[in-house]
Amino acid sequence: MKRFLILLVLLLLTVGLMAIEFDGAAIMKMAINLNTKINDSGRVIPDTIEIPGTDRSVSMEEALYLIAKWMAIYGANGEKIGQLPESVPYIEVKAPQKQLQGEIGGMINWPDIYEVSKQITAKLEADPLIPSQVEFLLNGESMAVMTPDILLYVLTRSVNWVNDNGSMPNYASLREVSGPSNWPPVEKATSEVIEKIPGSEGEIRAVWAWSTDFISYGVDRAVNELKEAGFTDVFLLVKGTAGQVSWPSAIAYEKISDTTILEKTVAACREVGLRIHAWFVVNQDQAYLKRFPESKMWGVPIEEGADPQKAGSTVDFVQDTRYREYLIDLMKEVILLYDVDGIHLDYIRYPTGAWGWGPYNIGRAWLEGLDVDFLMETAKETWSSVGDNKKFIDLYRQFIYFDINRWVEMRMDDIRAFVEEIKAGIESVKPEIIYSASLMPEGGDIDAASNGFAMVHYGQRYADFGELCDIVIPMTYHLDFGEKANWVADVATGTRDVMKSDTKVVMGIQAYDLSPAELQKAIYYARGAGADGIMFFRFGTLFGNENLKNAMLEALK
């Protein structure tokens, strides 16, 4: 009888353990907290994480199951907007015995995040040992594998996106992380050999720098180290999204606290022989919009019957001639006061296809005879809360509706006209000024589908920039765009194909949230494709990370 009672108690305890469930909202919050911890630690996964609202902490193997199960339940309907789980079951899970290297770079699309979540939870429910690799569909095209630690990071970022946006992200990029201390290190299948490609004679070596980067690092120290490393150009942010400028302007609406930074940087660059470019954010200016809120850009209504969206930072630069004049006057002031070598345009574009739907733009379309009701309905079917993010783009690519293609062409013409207007203004002060622009990279992609995506969203016709600018810089931050490093070469090739022969093509290189090897690969792919130079975003993340800095120095030797 005593033995029977003991067995019964053990059985009840086992059943009770198996029946443990956690509140779905608590698991969602746990995933968000874990994502924050990973990001704040330089992408190192901790050993444990607390489940909010409980006195329980779980290991990373248990967290992987809980978050994957949350995602599998959320995506059970197969839709981008899923159903938030009310509860998530718990099971005991064992750490992987080994991790075998899989994909780094590339991306997993949102339907495939659902699928891999369902597969890994089913596998763990059958055998609670985390496997050494997890199979998934890479870029929506071919089967591949990733390590469990990368999967955990993908899932935490995806849950975080759901929390912020109410739906799944279009994709998650595969980024390298360091696993918890009780997980085995990743075993590399083979030693990766990176072919070093030296820079050509006259290679442009540039860096984007925030004012705060130079303020905290020290202007003289920063500029001297850049010179020693072989850099040729500095692009200093002098007006950002906030609209605050970094010099004692007589016309700017707001200034940063230290308005000596531009003057000091110009002097330091002159001392060592570096070119200095004044970097302006073009389409965003919060300081300006505080004074002229009516100039905020209009967007497609989110819900049926709702008012159009109004932007928080983006100016309706097409309609507002006052803003365009103000921006050009700021540029002229910088040239006259500091005789900078160049003016650099950033955000010289529409934010996405969902923006730029104000009365002025719609009125122009109506005057041209376009079917504005059809355009707006198609836009809502693409970018409203129930939109598919595809329809407008697909119709543009198919070239079957004149109204769609003309609307996109009008937006391209808007961007070209603004670039021309700025060029005329700054060259009236300094004819030999170096004129450059950073561009969204999809517009230079050799893939026609990516190019069409860029035209609909941004209006940046690469051929226009090649005609008007001295330097164009596609921002090929490959991991951020869910691509591998060889994508840098593809965009460099596509960009060069549509540029004038004397327009310099400089590739924007990601210098944050990546490994030293990925940084070097991006540099070498740019060089191998015949780019005229490389440009790093940004100084603070590059020179503030010794491993990245040393990898960069090795590549520049």
Side-chain angles (χ1 to χ4, degrees):
M1 184 67 178
K2 183 176 180 181
R3 179 180 296 177
F4 172 77
L5 289 173
I6 292 172
L7 290 173
L8 180 61
V9 168
L10 290 174
L11 178 62
L12 290 172
L13 287 173
T14 301
V15 171
L17 182 62
M18 292 175 63
I20 292 176
E21 292 188 342
F22 291 106
D23 181 72
I27 298 304
M28 184 178 191
K29 182 65 175 176
M30 179 192 76
I32 296 166
N33 291 345
L34 179 55
N35 184 63
T36 300
K37 284 180 177 291
I38 295 172
N39 290 334
D40 289 349
S41 65
R43 297 216 306 276
V44 176
I45 299 176
D47 291 342
T48 61
I49 187 73
E50 293 181 358
I51 300 179
T54 74
D55 57 358
R56 181 75 177 267
S57 290
V58 293
S59 65
M60 283 304 106
E61 48 269 24
E62 294 169 318
L64 174 59
Y65 172 80
L66 288 168
I67 298 171
K69 190 67 174 179
W70 186 99
M71 184 60 71
I73 297 170
Y74 177 79
N77 63 1
E79 301 293 332
K80 194 171 185 183
I81 300 177
Q83 297 292 325
L84 295 174
E86 292 184 3
S87 62
V88 178
Y90 165 86
I91 63 171
E92 288 188 350
V93 182
K94 300 175 184 177
Q97 295 180 345
K98 61 181 177 179
Q99 293 193 90
L100 300 177
Q101 184 182 37
E103 295 289 338
I104 299 172
M107 63 187 179
I108 177 171
N109 296 329
W110 68 264
D112 303 315
I113 296 174
Y114 287 159
E115 187 61 31
V116 76
S117 299
K118 295 171 186 175
Q119 289 179 4
I120 189 65
T121 52
K123 184 176 181 63
L124 293 175
E125 287 159 1
D127 177 3
L129 174 66
I130 292 177
S132 59
Q133 293 177 322
V134 179
E135 195 174 58
F136 74 104
L137 196 61
L138 177 67
N139 299 329
E141 296 174 353
S142 57
M143 296 306 299
V145 292
M146 69 174 112
T147 50
D149 54 2
I150 288 179
L151 173 60
L152 180 57
Y153 190 37
V154 163
L155 291 174
T156 64
R157 284 155 45 216
S158 300
V159 174
N160 191 63
W161 183 279
V162 170
N163 180 66
D164 290 342
N165 300 280
S167 69
M168 285 289 284
N170 289 333
Y171 66 86
S173 56
L174 306 181
R175 298 185 179 180
E176 201 169 11
V177 290
S178 298
S181 62
N182 66 312
W183 287 21
V186 175
E187 299 177 16
K188 299 187 183 299
T190 57
S191 298
E192 184 177 20
V193 178
I194 304 173
E195 180 185 358
K196 181 173 182 177
I197 299 177
S200 59
E201 185 178 353
E203 178 181 62
I204 295 171
R205 297 174 176 181
V207 66
W208 282 290
W210 292 349
S211 295
T212 50
D213 291 340
F214 277 9
I215 290 171
S216 60
Y217 204 84
V219 174
D220 290 334
R221 177 190 173 199
V223 170
N224 286 331
E225 289 189 15
L226 286 167
K227 179 64 176 180
E228 290 171 7
F231 279 76
T232 61
D233 295 76
V234 172
F235 288 66
L236 180 71
L237 182 63
V238 298
K239 186 188 86 73
T241 295
Q244 298 175 334
V245 304
S246 61
W247 73 94
S249 172
I251 59 176
Y253 292 118
E254 290 186 13
K255 308 175 186 67
I256 65 172
S257 56
D258 183 354
T259 57
T260 67
I261 191 67
L262 175 56
E263 181 180 6
K264 289 176 180 176
T265 303
V266 170
C269 287
R270 293 278 179 264
E271 181 71 22
V272 300
L274 293 181
R275 289 186 291 265
I276 173 69
H277 306 251
W279 165 20
F280 284 81
V281 167
V282 172
N283 75 358
Q284 296 187 351
D285 194 313
Q286 293 171 1
Y288 180 86
L289 290 176
K290 287 177 186 176
R291 287 157 178 78
F292 308 106
E294 69 278 7
S295 290
K296 293 182 177 182
M297 187 173 282
W298 297 58
V300 173
I302 289 293
E303 305 291 345
E304 187 63 37
D307 292 333
Q309 300 178 79
K310 295 300 288 289
S313 303
T314 306
V315 182
D316 190 352
F317 55 85
V318 177
Q319 182 271 334
D320 192 346
T321 57
R322 174 182 54 205
Y323 175 71
R324 300 202 303 271
E325 292 170 359
Y326 167 69
L327 179 68
I328 294 169
D329 284 344
L330 289 176
M331 294 175 178
K332 288 180 179 179
E333 187 179 42
V334 166
I335 297 169
L336 290 170
L337 288 175
Y338 305 106
D339 192 30
V340 293
D341 297 292
I343 293 292
H344 177 62
L345 311 182
D346 194 10
Y347 287 82
I348 178 69
R349 58 181 174 87
Y350 281 96
T352 70
W355 293 95
W357 292 86
Y360 181 80
N361 286 37
I362 291 175
R364 288 188 309 160
W366 180 82
L367 287 172
E368 284 211 14
L370 303 187
D371 187 341
V372 295
D373 291 333
F374 166 69
L375 290 171
M376 179 57 79
E377 283 306 309
T378 306
K380 288 191 289 188
E381 290 169 10
T382 308
W383 294 300
S384 72
S385 62
V386 295
D388 63 2
N389 287 306
K390 294 174 55 181
K391 185 172 183 178
F392 208 102
I393 302 162
D394 289 343
L395 292 181
Y396 168 74
R397 290 173 181 156
Q398 294 166 16
F399 208 85
I400 57 177
Y401 291 104
F402 172 81
D403 304 69
I404 293 282
N405 289 80
R406 178 55 189 151
W407 173 265
V408 176
E409 187 178 62
M410 287 170 61
R411 288 159 61 92
M412 297 178 196
D413 293 343
D414 292 337
I415 302 303
R416 179 186 174 95
F418 200 2
V419 176
E420 287 178 323
E421 189 175 354
I422 295 172
K423 181 181 177 70
I426 62 175
E427 288 186 350
S428 70
V429 178
K430 186 175 182 178
E432 71 278 14
I433 194 88
I434 301 171
Y435 194 37
S436 65
S438 53
L439 306 178
M440 294 300 286
E442 300 98 330
D445 201 319
I446 58 176
D447 178 6
S450 293
N451 194 277
F453 173 93
M455 296 308 105
V456 171
H457 278 299
Y458 314 124
Q460 290 180 329
R461 194 162 40 203
Y462 266 46
D464 290 341
F465 285 89
E467 180 183 339
L468 298 169
C469 294
D470 302 298
I471 302 173
V472 295
I473 306 110
M475 298 179 290
T476 44
Y477 311 147
H478 64 284
L479 292 184
D480 258 13
F481 283 87
E483 300 284 355
K484 295 187 177 182
N486 60 357
W487 178 65
V488 177
D490 290 343
V491 177
T493 299
T495 303
R496 171 48 65 201
D497 285 347
V498 296
M499 294 291 133
K500 295 193 307 179
S501 60
D502 58 347
T503 301
K504 302 294 185 183
V505 175
V506 175
M507 303 310 294
I509 302 297
Q510 180 173 346
Y512 59 92
D513 289 350
L514 82 175
S515 67
E518 284 296 315
L519 176 71
Q520 290 186 336
K521 283 192 288 186
I523 294 169
Y524 299 148
Y525 273 116
R527 287 173 169 172
D532 297 296
I534 49 179
M535 183 163 172
F536 299 97
F537 184 83
R538 60 180 170 84
F539 178 87
T541 54
L542 179 58
F543 278 70
N545 182 315
E546 283 299 313
N547 291 330
L548 288 182
K549 180 181 177 182
N550 289 334
M552 176 270 298
L553 292 173
E554 172 63 28
L556 296 187
K557 284 182 181 177

